[in-house]
Amino acid sequence: FEETQALLKAGNERAPLVIRVNPLKVTRENFLIFLQKEEVPFAKPCPYTPSGIILDGFRGKVTELKAYHCGWISVQDSASQLVTLLLNPKPGEKILDACAGVGGKTTHIAEFMEDKGIIWAFDLYPWRLEKLKENFKRLGLKEPRVFQGDVVEELVKLGAPRFDRILIDAPCTGTGVIRKHPDIKWARTEEDFIKIPEKQLRLLEGLAPYLKKGGVMVYATCSLEPEENEEVIKKFLKKHPDFELENPEKILLKICPEKVKVLCDGNYLRTYPHKDSLDGFFVVRMRKKAD
């Protein structure tokens, strides 16, 4: 009861404002010094990610900061940054971002790859992809290959290649980000918890053939509901024995060793608003067996 009460209370609180430094332009250490002297004296490093900064006490608009227009920073919650860190893309690889949106994770992937490699970015809505292109330009990153439409259908039409890594930042009910989108409490229906998992499973099954053997697929939602998370993954793995879960601890021990116990639940990564003020996320990393 106490845990549930704390979670519900956190959903009514103001989320901390977190930014991600573009390491291709500035180090977090140098930018923190600049921030603390010039604009946000109480800014502090995020304990979960190597590029994250928490803007404590800042009540302005990030888009009005000079650093934003110089392409030094992006707005992205720490939990969302962890998704890319678990994907762990490498320079020169071919990456598929299946539900790219406005490019928060897509740009992070490009930065992580040192802007060396190929990214295919898909989304259903053209306005989101236009914003994605704007973000890539602002950050000084080369534009990815951008496609509008249903990723499962479009990959068939395009005769797409195999990818080294695939990110499925799946559409979900958003119950982990209610503090940022309080309308979720009224907008969601019971039917959503039946239909949305069907769409999520369709994405996993539709994209699995496009991953190279030995490649990595990361599935993430900003939902707290088991129907959209572990239950979807269990159904997928039952039909696809050529995929196996990889424990996230190995990667997280290099990034935030003191936080591993908080973040890891067996082979799953989970974050919660009432635990260190992270958005609620579920993330799983799977590898396609080489044999």
Side-chain angles (χ1 to χ4, degrees):
F1 177 82
E2 290 78 11
E3 186 84 2
T4 304
Q5 192 174 42
L7 173 61
L8 295 175
K9 183 180 178 182
N12 290 327
E13 295 172 350
R14 185 172 187 153
L17 181 54
V18 182
I19 59 173
R20 184 189 82 232
V21 169
N22 180 354
L24 303 182
K25 293 201 170 187
V26 65
T27 66
R28 179 167 74 170
E29 291 73 20
N30 287 341
F31 186 61
L32 260 173
I33 294 170
F34 166 79
L35 266 182
Q36 292 164 347
K37 285 183 178 179
E38 301 292 333
E39 301 182 84
V40 190
F42 299 107
K44 59 186 180 183
C46 168
Y48 291 95
T49 64
S51 299
I53 293 176
I54 302 169
L55 299 185
D56 265 4
F58 181 71
R59 291 294 178 263
K61 293 181 179 179
V62 174
T63 52
E64 293 177 352
L65 296 176
K66 292 179 182 178
Y68 181 84
H69 296 285
C70 291
W72 291 5
I73 59 172
S74 299
V75 178
Q76 188 181 31
D77 186 79
S78 310
S80 181
Q81 293 180 43
L82 284 168
V83 176
T84 302
L85 297 179
L86 279 194
L87 185 68
N88 198 24
K90 307 292 185 184
E93 290 184 332
K94 188 173 291 182
I95 312 290
L96 169 62
D97 188 350
C99 311
V102 298
K105 296 180 183 67
T106 327
T107 53
H108 196 193
I109 290 170
E111 291 168 3
F112 213 82
M113 296 168 70
E114 300 173 10
D115 209 21
K116 300 171 184 175
I118 299 170
I119 300 174
W120 285 35
F122 285 80
D123 200 83
L124 290 172
Y125 303 101
W127 68 267
R128 288 181 180 172
L129 293 172
E130 286 304 313
K131 184 65 177 176
L132 177 147
K133 293 176 185 178
E134 290 174 16
N135 282 324
F136 266 83
K137 185 176 181 180
R138 178 179 60 81
L139 293 164
L141 302 167
K142 67 179 182 182
E143 190 175 297
R145 296 193 64 182
V146 175
F147 305 91
Q148 188 259 319
D150 182 300
V151 62
V152 176
E153 295 177 359
E154 293 300 318
L155 286 176
V156 175
K157 295 177 187 176
L158 292 164
R162 299 290 188 273
F163 295 90
D164 296 290
R165 299 173 200 262
I166 294 177
L167 171 60
I168 303 176
D169 184 21
C172 67
T173 58
T175 55
V177 291
I178 285 176
R179 60 186 181 173
K180 291 180 177 176
H181 304 282
D183 57 299
I184 287 171
K185 291 183 281 189
W186 291 273
R188 291 302 176 202
T189 67
E190 289 185 35
E191 191 177 6
D192 290 330
F193 296 95
I194 298 171
K195 288 191 173 182
I196 290 177
E198 291 173 355
K199 294 178 181 179
Q200 294 163 338
L201 185 59
R202 175 179 175 270
L203 281 168
L204 282 164
E205 294 186 334
L207 301 183
Y210 295 95
L211 184 66
K212 291 180 179 178
K213 288 186 177 181
V216 170
M217 178 184 285
V218 167
Y219 172 86
T221 75
C222 55
S223 169
L224 305 177
E225 314 311 314
E227 296 96 326
E228 301 173 77
N229 297 330
E230 57 265 41
E231 289 182 18
V232 169
I233 295 302
K234 286 174 183 176
K235 288 177 183 177
F236 171 74
L237 291 175
K238 189 174 181 180
K239 291 184 179 180
H240 296 268
D242 54 329
F243 279 78
E244 59 186 352
L245 294 177
E246 288 199 335
N247 194 298
E249 286 191 15
K250 186 177 180 180
I251 292 175
L252 294 176
L253 282 170
K254 298 176 183 177
I255 300 164
C256 51
E258 71 285 355
K259 298 293 184 181
V260 170
K261 290 184 179 179
V262 176
L263 297 172
C264 292
D265 178 12
N267 288 321
Y268 304 135
L269 183 151
R270 298 184 199 270
T271 60
Y272 296 93
H274 65 300
K275 294 181 179 178
D276 295 309
S277 273
L278 292 170
D279 280 349
F281 264 77
F282 170 89
V283 193
V284 63
R285 175 183 162 103
M286 296 176 283
R287 188 175 293 276
K288 196 172 193 178
K289 297 176 184 177
D291 298 326

